Amino acid sequence: MAKLTAGGRFRKALLEAKPLQIVGTTNAYHAMMAERVGHKAIYLSGGGVANTSYGLPDLGMTSMNDVLEDVRRISSAVETPLLVDIDTGWGGAFNIARTIKEMTKAGAAAVHIEDQIAQKRCGHRPNKEIVSPQEMVDRVKAAVDAKTDDDFFIIARTDAFQMEGLNSAVDRAQACLEAGADGIFAEAVHTLEDYKAFADGINGAHLLANITEFGATPLFNTEELVANGASMVLYPLSAFRAANKAALNVYEALLRDGDQKAVVDTMQTRMELYDFLNYHDFEQKLDALFAEGKNK
């Protein structure tokens, strides 16, 4: 039996999980932890790349190559299928096609592409601007036509709900599905009833619910979301936010107290770190090599 591609692994996970929880991993080590505890899909946020790797806000300031670097690092460290945020695709049809090919080569399993203008904003911020439905359909067609792996999964994200309301967002989603999208990412949805209406409007196609903290969408439970039509639930930056808060606590304690005694209990231990990295397996191989060298 042929080994599944990354896209194939994503589709398998989506078939088996009800819903498929997709957790944000802004670096390879977090991806390893997510995989070890049992998550079946992981995510690389465009905002996460901008914030973590470049110290920039999520305002479309990073490039395809910036994101690809983190895709390669993460996909090299784990087998768990990776969904990648490709913003607007970084240009016109040829740019989008190149993006899909490069993401596939880098090890991504899936991407989502959105209908904001190139100077995009975080999906939960005000004053977003979206392109015409036809331009978004053209983006999706360019992405679908560029696939080199039939199982590579393409999700069309629409920000129209917040801008133009449910009916407009559903119309855009339907057009994207007709253009070949495998699923729909409904951004900044407010209620479970809205999710149900969205799911009904796209006739049960795969629907992603973005359950990000401190945004426009309440922190709905997976059971609630499944009951209202979602097949994927995304947590784009949950671990990132928790790690940031923990790091700030340590930095402040060191200045305040002159040592880390008050916060050491909040830290991952050295042995826990080594366990996730399989450090001792590497060390044993190194010891064996040294022993072999001494015996020659």
Side-chain angles (χ1 to χ4, degrees), residues 89-290:
W90 295 294
F94 294 146
N95 304 76
I96 292 169
R98 180 168 176 250
T99 295
I100 298 302
K101 289 180 170 64
E102 292 295 333
M103 288 290 159
T104 305
K105 285 194 291 186
V111 297
H112 67 73
I113 186 167
E114 66 195 59
D115 59 0
Q116 285 198 51
I117 63 171
Q119 292 297 317
K120 60 152 290 174
R121 299 170 186 247
C122 168
H124 290 252
R125 298 294 299 157
N127 302 321
K128 296 182 293 185
E129 295 289 341
I130 55 179
V131 299
S132 70
Q134 186 57 54
E135 185 170 344
M136 180 56 181
V137 165
D138 289 343
R139 288 178 182 178
V140 172
K141 286 180 177 178
V144 172
D145 289 346
K147 291 204 301 186
T148 55
D149 169 20
D150 288 341
D151 285 334
F152 191 81
F153 201 89
I154 294 175
I155 299 171
R157 169 179 146 175
T158 179
D159 286 71
F161 179 87
Q162 197 175 42
M163 307 303 300
E164 299 178 350
L166 176 66
N167 291 338
S168 175
V170 168
D171 287 346
R172 282 173 175 256
Q174 288 174 329
C176 289
L177 291 168
E178 291 169 6
D182 297 295
I184 297 297
F185 179 158
E187 179 65 306
V189 173
H190 300 157
T191 69
L192 291 170
E193 290 76 19
D194 290 330
Y195 276 119
K196 181 66 166 61
F198 217 108
D200 290 344
I202 59 174
N203 300 313
H206 286 297
L207 178 63
L208 182 147
N210 183 21
I211 308 302
T212 186
E213 303 81 16
F214 316 111
T217 306
L219 304 183
F220 296 123
N221 184 269
T222 51
E223 292 183 3
E224 294 175 306
L225 291 163
V226 167
N228 288 278
S231 58
M232 297 173 279
V233 183
L234 178 65
Y235 311 90
L237 291 168
S238 304
F240 166 73
R241 290 190 174 101
N244 290 346
K245 186 74 170 181
L248 182 61
N249 187 39
V250 170
Y251 296 145
E252 290 175 341
L254 287 168
L255 275 179
R256 181 186 66 241
D257 303 334
D259 61 51
Q260 65 272 58
K261 294 172 187 174
V263 293
V264 73
D265 286 344
T266 68
M267 299 180 189
Q268 184 184 53
T269 68
R270 182 185 299 270
M271 294 307 295
E272 288 168 340
L273 171 70
Y274 287 176
D275 181 51
F276 280 105
L277 292 170
N278 298 311
Y279 178 92
H280 294 105
D281 290 344
F282 287 99
E283 194 170 56
Q284 287 167 10
K285 289 178 183 177
L286 192 61
D287 290 343
L289 285 171
F290 281 138

Side-chain angles (χ1 to χ4, degrees), residues 44 49-50 53-54 56 61-73 90:
L44 183 62
V49 171
S53 297
Y54 295 93
L56 293 171
M61 299 167 70
T62 47
S63 69
M64 177 187 72
N65 285 326
D66 294 334
V67 177
L68 277 170
E69 186 60 43
D70 283 341
V71 172
R72 294 187 191 101
R73 289 171 177 171
W90 295 294

